[in-house]
Amino acid sequence: MKGRHPDFTTSRLFVEATDEESGCKWTLHALREKTIVGTITFTWNGSIGNLRYTMTDEGDQQGYITEALTSILSYLARTLLLTRIYGEAGSAAVWRRNGFQLQANRYARELHH
């Protein structure tokens, strides 16, 4: 952990955190392939958190975004005590697969501590 947000490792990823003025950018490094496979950016404004992702795997067929989101969502709920997070841009299927529901023009998910 170099700043206020943690790096972490899953079974297939090393996820490197870079603090930004309004949140954090996590870069997803696939351990086996030794390549960057995507990023997840978290911005925080008051009590509202937003996530946005990019990936090299269209539709997250390899499940890297899903794997990283599992840890990130847990961290946001337990450490920052957020109760709701919004997903912006990206694939509707990826957001839905990760428990987000469409509300107005963005995806939302309740978080539990």
Side-chain angles (χ1 to χ4, degrees), residues 39-113:
T39 62
I40 297 176
T41 304
F42 167 68
T43 55
W44 191 11
N45 184 5
S47 63
I48 298 174
N50 294 294
L51 292 171
R52 182 178 285 265
Y53 69 85
T54 62
M55 64 184 156
T56 58
D57 173 18
E58 190 61 38
D60 195 31
Q61 299 303 309
Q62 297 295 318
Y64 292 124
I65 296 293
T66 296
E67 189 168 325
L69 275 175
T70 299
S71 295
I72 290 169
L73 292 171
S74 177
Y75 162 74
L76 295 174
R78 285 194 236 145
T79 305
L80 300 183
L81 303 177
L82 292 181
T83 57
R84 177 178 286 224
I85 189 85
Y86 295 98
E88 300 177 340
S91 162
V94 171
W95 291 123
R96 278 192 227 111
R97 192 167 43 242
N98 286 285
F100 287 77
Q101 301 295 320
L102 184 61
Q103 293 182 352
N105 60 348
R106 60 184 176 176
Y107 287 88
R109 178 175 165 173
E110 299 294 323
L111 299 177
H112 304 283
H113 307 113

Side-chain angles (χ1 to χ4, degrees), residues 10-14 28-38 56-57 61-64 67:
T10 69
S11 62
R12 300 183 305 149
L13 296 169
F14 169 66
L28 286 56
H29 302 264
L31 295 173
R32 189 176 316 150
E33 294 85 355
K34 297 183 177 19
T35 59
I36 293 173
V37 294
T56 58
D57 173 18
Q61 299 303 309
Q62 297 295 318
Y64 292 124
E67 189 168 325

